[in-house]
């Protein structure tokens, strides 16, 4: 579970631990690591936007055989509705976290999967080009569209070895989603866990809502 200090990531850990699954999860700070250890997970520090930190994942999970791996870490950019260019700093922060981060950790995760394991990345419907009817938050949308491309490639590269999907978790009440969001984390994560558990190999390389409904790329 990559990026599990709070929000959707932490809820995945809580629910899998409640089912007595063994969980390895990452956070960037001591408070997050403590929360994860408090749930009985093996916790280690990882910042996907930092090359040295992210490259250390492989030895931390060496010898593991994960049934499920979830890349959840993500950030939003400025929420402007115009076509103004993002600042370089904002572009770097969002793209490094949402795109480069998964590109860094996915190959390492692939080496630590059980046969037929499942990989899920937390994308967003906002990254869908096929279903887009409104603009705004262009940088975030572009980052999730790029993440979807990365996930699709992973599904082709790992064909026969792993089932890989991108999820829209819903509009979820977290620090990112805000208190006015549609659903709570428990509902979102319970839905995604159900979908993950029931995935068939033919679904690898798909983009799914938290309830399993396909979303156009
Ligand atoms: N909430 C929604 O409505 C919604 C909708 C669509 C998609 N999503 C996606 O779902 C995922 C989780 O969202 P959320 O609502 O739970 O967000 P959140 O409450 O803001 O939590 C984001 C998580 O990502 C971690 N993270 C951020 N940058 C990181 C980095 N460089 N390295 C490692 N971890 C990092 C954060 O860790 P720190 O505590 O260290 O910052 C935190 O654990 C994101 O990818 C988001 O884009 C959310």
């Amino acid at each position: 579970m990559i990026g599990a200090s709070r929000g959707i990531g932490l809820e995945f850990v809580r629910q899998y631990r409640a089912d007595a699954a063994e969980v390895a999860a990452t956070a960037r700070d001591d408070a997050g690591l403590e929360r994860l250890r408090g749930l009985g997970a093996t916790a280690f520090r990882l910042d996907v936007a930092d090359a040295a930190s992210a490259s250390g994942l492989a030895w931390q999970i060496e010898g593991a055989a994960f049934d499920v791996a979830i890349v959840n870490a993500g950030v939003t950019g400025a929420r402007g509705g115009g076509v103004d260019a993002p600042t370089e700093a904002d572009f770097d922060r969002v793209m490094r976290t949402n795109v480069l981060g998964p590109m860094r950790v996915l190959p390492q995760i692939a080496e630590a999967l059980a046969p037929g394991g499942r990989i899920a990345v937390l994308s967003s419907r906002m990254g869908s080009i096929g279903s887009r009817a409104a603009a705004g938050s262009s940088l975030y949308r572009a980052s999730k569209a790029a993440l979807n491309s990365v996930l699709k490639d992973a599904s082709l590269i790992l064909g026969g070895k792993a089932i890989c999907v991108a999820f829209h978790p819903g509009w979820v009440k977290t620090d990112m989603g805000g208190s006015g969001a549609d659903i709570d984390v428990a509902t979102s994560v319970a839905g995604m866990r159900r979908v993950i558990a029931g995935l068939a190999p033919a679904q690898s390389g798909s983009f799914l809502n938290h309830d399993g409904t396909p979303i156009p790329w």
Side-chain angles (χ1 to χ4, degrees):
M1 185 76 228
I2 305 293
S5 62
R6 54 195 167 94
I8 292 168
L10 185 65
E11 179 64 13
F12 266 115
V13 175
R14 199 189 65 72
Q15 292 193 17
Y16 278 119
R17 286 296 302 142
D19 279 355
E22 279 181 48
V23 176
T26 77
R28 289 190 292 181
D29 59 16
D30 291 340
L33 292 168
E34 277 314 303
R35 275 193 290 280
L36 293 170
R37 289 182 186 129
L39 290 170
T42 301
F44 51 90
R45 198 179 299 270
L46 182 78
D47 182 343
V48 299
D50 180 274
S53 174
S55 68
L57 177 62
W59 70 263
Q60 301 260 26
I61 59 176
E62 194 178 354
F66 296 116
D67 297 312
V68 176
I70 300 168
V71 183
N72 174 76
V75 291
T76 52
R79 289 176 196 262
V83 289
D84 297 342
T87 64
E88 251 180 67
D90 213 17
F91 182 90
D92 284 352
R93 189 177 63 84
V94 174
M95 288 296 190
R96 282 176 194 272
T97 307
N98 295 1
V99 189
L100 182 55
M103 292 180 90
R104 281 174 167 149
V105 299
L106 283 171
Q108 301 177 73
I109 287 171
E111 290 299 313
L113 273 187
R118 284 110 209 263
I119 295 176
V121 299
L122 267 290
S123 178
S124 169
R125 188 187 290 277
M126 289 180 76
S128 169
I129 296 171
S131 69
R132 192 165 308 172
S137 302
S138 284
L139 175 56
Y140 180 70
R141 288 181 187 277
S143 75
K144 293 299 190 181
L147 171 62
N148 286 349
S149 174
V150 169
L151 183 280
K152 189 74 185 186
D153 279 353
S155 76
L156 296 170
I157 293 161
L158 299 174
K161 184 176 175 207
I163 302 174
C164 305
V165 295
F167 271 121
H168 172 60
W171 182 24
V172 189
K173 293 183 173 71
T174 60
D175 293 340
M176 184 185 289
S179 56
D182 286 338
I183 56 173
D184 57 29
V185 276
T187 305
S188 169
V189 168
M192 290 187 281
R193 290 180 66 229
R194 243 190 323 273
V195 175
I196 290 168
L199 282 173
Q203 287 174 284
S204 193
S206 54
F207 184 16
L208 303 171
N209 195 18
H210 60 94
D211 62 4
T213 313
I215 297 174
W217 294 111

